[in-house]
Amino acid sequence: MSIQIMSALLQSRQTGQVTRTREPAAAPRPAASASPASVVVLHRPNPIPVPAPERDRGVTTFAALFAAWSRYHLSTGGAPTTPPYWQVLITRFATFLGHDRPADVTSHDIRAYRDHLIANGRRLRTARHSDFAALRAIYHFGVENELVPTNPTIGVKFKADRLAAAETMSAFSSDEARAILSAADRQTIPSRRWIPWLTAMTGSRVAAIANLRKQDVIEVEGVWCLRISRQAGPIKTAASERIVPIHPAILERGFLAFVEKTQRERLFFGESDGAVSGSGSNPPVGQGARPYNPARSTIRRVTEWLHGLGLEIGRAAKKDPNHAWRHWFKEQAFAAGIPEKITDAIVGHAQPTTSRRYGAVSIAAMESELRKIRPPV
């Protein structure tokens, strides 16, 4: 080793520095934070979302959101009578807000609308099960399909009026039932002639009877029946869709002859009353769509006629002019000893217990038990 090299080594040991003679000194490495390439990213706190296909189409209005929900509802077998009615409710809500941007709605807006409905005389039950049912449904659909960011209806509740909840409606008395059915026997207008008898002797809701079509009177296993379905008009529950025998007292009065002579699709009203003729197809909302309750006007006229009979009926008397027949039928079925499972099958009530849900009730069984109920006239 040369004297120059040995001298350099001794000097480096004294100063703590090593001088490399063959390789140039490397440039100092920057701090880890100065170079993103030197950092391993485990979590990115604010990821940029990938736009969903539906969002790309710009669903920014209540009309667009509702149209998307309506298409889904109908494609999955939903009742065709629901969208036209709910469209009115959603439009009413947008009018209250003063804008047409569902994504901007807050829980405060929802609570304000709830209070507005109640303050303006909307029945609590109707507001909860109609107005808010529509809002909850479209917002749930919107969030699930990434059409709106949040569901502002979550957490908004109705405080039940316990006193009002305890006030239940009653059945017609024997005298009231006799007076109404006797008056119906004297009528020539089909809706007045047959709707009271059919609601009385099947325990059905008036909308289910008033919306009956000619094709809904069918013979099953040798028994003449009514087919109650969502294709004809509004129904309340899945159990409401059913086939129920026609009571012999109605057949004896010539109901089948009336049906046979009817030249229109609906038994109790025509197209001029708002019905849409056809096979029950579902036209697009807003383009000749079937009304929510096609028989609404007919039901109103029958109710007015019933009030004109001079009986103490109506909400003030806790006897709905039409729904009181449903209570009357249940009372008569209990008095006749008809098993509750069969009574529920006739009126369209869901079976309340697991054991009663086993086994369907046959048409023959319903027809046999139905004969036990004697009409008041």
Side-chain angles (χ1 to χ4, degrees):
M1 182 179 296
S2 65
I3 295 175
Q4 291 85 353
I5 294 175
M6 290 181 66
S7 176
L9 286 173
L10 289 172
Q11 184 178 1
S12 66
R13 288 175 181 174
Q14 292 174 357
T15 60
Q17 297 178 356
V18 178
T19 301
R20 297 183 183 272
T21 59
R22 295 188 178 183
E23 296 180 2
R29 298 186 61 161
S33 59
S35 174
S38 66
V39 179
V40 178
V41 179
L42 298 179
H43 174 67
R44 182 167 295 173
N46 295 308
I48 300 174
V50 178
E54 283 284 350
R55 187 178 295 167
D56 287 342
R57 290 200 285 268
V59 180
T60 58
T61 67
F62 279 108
L65 176 60
F66 183 82
W69 170 85
S70 181
R71 288 192 297 270
Y72 170 79
H73 172 79
L74 295 174
S75 68
T76 55
T81 52
T82 301
Y85 178 51
W86 279 16
Q87 186 177 37
V88 173
L89 301 181
I90 298 302
T91 301
R92 188 178 297 163
F93 175 62
T95 301
F96 168 80
L97 292 174
H99 67 77
D100 195 25
R101 302 181 302 277
D104 294 346
V105 176
T106 66
S107 295
H108 174 77
D109 296 325
I110 299 293
R111 286 190 292 271
Y113 188 56
R114 173 200 61 191
D115 298 341
H116 165 77
L117 290 174
I118 302 304
N120 284 273
R122 191 72 157 170
R123 293 179 61 200
L124 187 145
R125 179 181 176 85
T126 304
R128 177 191 293 161
H129 297 292
S130 293
D131 300 271
F132 271 66
L135 288 172
R136 289 191 182 100
I138 69 163
Y139 269 106
H140 178 80
F141 170 83
V143 170
E144 184 179 17
N145 291 275
E146 301 183 27
L147 307 180
V148 291
T150 60
N151 183 349
T153 68
I154 294 177
V156 179
K157 300 180 179 179
F158 287 79
K159 184 177 181 181
D161 186 335
R162 294 184 179 180
L163 181 60
E167 295 178 350
T168 58
M169 303 301 283
S170 303
F172 288 129
S173 67
S174 297
D175 290 340
E176 290 165 341
R178 185 179 303 109
I180 293 171
L181 295 183
S182 295
D185 278 342
R186 297 190 294 270
Q187 285 292 317
T188 57
I189 298 175
S191 58
R192 298 178 184 179
R193 175 72 179 91
W194 299 113
I195 289 177
W197 271 99
L198 291 169
T199 51
M201 305 311 291
T202 64
S204 297
R205 295 180 177 87
V206 66
I209 297 301
N211 280 294
L212 285 172
R213 303 164 297 177
K214 187 171 183 176
Q215 68 195 65
D216 294 324
V217 181
I218 58 177
E219 187 175 18
V220 180
E221 301 172 2
V223 177
W224 282 101
C225 303
L226 301 177
R227 177 176 54 202
I228 297 173
S229 70
R230 67 184 65 196
Q231 280 69 39
I235 60 170
K236 188 173 182 179
T237 66
S240 299
E241 285 195 289
R242 65 198 189 280
I243 295 176
V244 58
I246 302 172
H247 195 280
I250 298 175
L251 298 176
E252 292 167 1
R253 283 169 165 75
F255 178 67
L256 293 181
F258 155 71
V259 173
E260 183 65 27
K261 292 179 182 178
T262 299
Q263 298 299 314
R264 55 195 182 190
E265 179 193 15
R266 303 283 182 164
L267 294 180
F268 305 119
F269 58 88
E271 295 181 35
S272 61
D273 295 309
V276 178
S277 61
S279 59
S281 59
N282 306 326
V285 174
Q287 300 180 16
R290 188 182 298 274
Y292 169 69
N293 186 353
R296 184 184 297 274
S297 296
T298 299
I299 294 172
R300 185 184 69 250
R301 288 192 289 269
V302 170
T303 301
E304 292 171 351
W305 170 70
L306 290 171
H307 278 296
L309 296 179
L311 304 173
E312 285 192 35
I313 57 177
R315 294 203 169 273
K318 298 182 182 180
K319 292 182 180 180
D320 184 279
N322 294 298
H323 203 71
W325 284 122
R326 196 163 170 82
H327 295 279
W328 179 86
F329 184 90
K330 295 279 281 190
E331 287 186 358
Q332 299 303 308
F334 178 80
I338 299 176
E340 285 187 277
K341 178 171 181 173
I342 296 180
T343 299
D344 288 342
I346 294 173
V347 303
H349 275 159
Q351 300 295 339
T353 63
T354 302
S355 61
R356 275 175 47 182
R357 294 187 196 110
Y358 282 99
V361 178
S362 68
I363 295 295
M366 284 191 283
E367 195 268 344
S368 176
E369 295 295 328
L370 197 57
R371 289 177 176 272
K372 296 179 180 179
I373 296 181
R374 296 183 177 277
V377 292

